[in-house]
Amino acid sequence: MEEKLESIKARYQEVSEELMKPEVMNDFKKVKSLSKEQSDLKEIVLKYEELNTCKKNLEEAKSLVDDADFKEMAELEIAENSEKIAKLESELEIMLIPKDENDGKNIIMEIRGAAGGDEANIFAGDLLRMYTYYAEKNGWKIEINHQLEGTSGGFSQVECTIKGDNVYSKMKYESGAHRVQRVPQTETQGRIHTSTATVLVMPEIDDIDIDIKESDLKIDVYHSSGAGGQSVNTSNSAVRITHLPTNTVVTCQNERSQLKNKELAMKLLKIKIYDNLQQQKMAEEGFERKSKIGSGDRSEKIRTYNYPQNRVTDHRIGFSVMNLDKVMDGDLEPIIDALITEDLKRKLAGE
């Protein structure tokens, strides 16, 4: 670990020197890139310097422990610095774990009602509400790109963009099948039903290099529906694009301009195709999904929301909380924190 930390420290100094060069200062793109790298390295370097200071203090204290006049003070210094060193080494070990390059990105989220008919669609709406409250608590902004309302409420499909600081780092754990167990509003006998809704989370990537031929696209325009005011329905502003080779479909209706909706739809199309290619690549390389918590198999049942017991259980880590009512009001932090902690634990174990 020390060899790696020395290498990081040397790179940090190199980047800092580069940023002072006139030819670099005049290159905005390079300054932006180097400044980001410097910022990413700075926290590690400062913690490493703190570790070295503690080690130096420890050695000095050890040299005084045999001196009767300084023995008591030296023993206190030894205990204090030994504890600090262990803590700093543990923190640095975690900081050296390779970061997901998408953690700082915004996300595209798609929620669909799955098994359970109307109740599944209603639950999909409940999940959107839960994520909306969670986004608000984090100071994130949520925008609906497209929605298909269920006949009895909720959504058969709803797609949104969530923007803010490090959205993907927390929301990447939400991909998968979410199961609800409760008595539906339409149930007359009071029986508990089990329904599911699927959630798909994709990082919003701007610089995707995918060549899409115009001849491979089927583009439909139609009247928008839903939120947006009366004028949203006065023209064919909504856009649906189908990529024929992969049968990937995207729809965008949140802008009043057909051109803007088409631009956003093309961006979403590239993100979806890229995400599917990444999934195929991992499958071809024999990717072990069972050891990966975030962005796993979309068909995997990841969580159960049990209303009679007021319980939420995440099956990937065997973690339960007995406050489903609060979770549905956006109190997702305990569950997501537990997922992040387990993810780090597995990575440290080399899984």
Side-chain angles (χ1 to χ4, degrees), residues 320-336:
S320 294
V321 292
M322 306 302 292
N323 61 344
L324 180 146
D325 50 338
K326 291 184 178 179
V327 170
M328 299 311 292
D329 284 337
D331 188 15
L332 268 171
E333 209 66 44
I335 298 173
I336 289 177

Side-chain angles (χ1 to χ4, degrees), residues 187-237:
E187 170 58 50
T188 57
Q189 304 296 320
R191 292 172 297 187
I192 295 173
H193 287 226
T194 298
S195 305
T196 59
T198 60
V199 176
L200 168 60
V201 174
M202 297 168 288
E204 186 183 46
I205 304 171
D206 293 319
D207 53 347
I208 298 175
D209 186 18
I210 294 177
D211 182 29
I212 296 179
K213 297 177 182 177
E214 193 74 26
S215 58
D216 288 337
L217 300 177
K218 180 176 182 290
I219 302 175
D220 301 301
V221 294
Y222 57 96
H223 287 325
S224 296
S225 61
Q230 292 182 351
S231 62
V232 81
N233 291 310
T234 61
S235 64
N236 291 334
S237 59

Side-chain angles (χ1 to χ4, degrees), residues 262-309:
K262 184 179 178 182
E263 288 175 356
L264 180 55
M266 281 300 299
K267 179 181 177 181
L268 295 177
L269 181 66
K270 286 187 176 183
I271 290 171
K272 280 195 173 185
I273 292 174
Y274 177 78
D275 186 70
N276 287 333
L277 288 172
Q278 292 297 103
Q279 295 295 320
Q280 290 172 19
K281 182 181 176 184
M282 288 190 289
E284 289 168 2
E285 292 174 353
F287 184 75
E288 291 292 334
R289 292 190 186 278
K290 64 182 180 181
S291 68
K292 188 177 177 65
I293 295 174
S295 59
D297 192 336
R298 281 72 190 268
S299 64
E300 176 192 5
K301 181 186 72 180
I302 64 167
R303 195 175 296 152
T304 293
Y305 303 74
N306 187 299
Y307 276 72
Q309 297 177 15

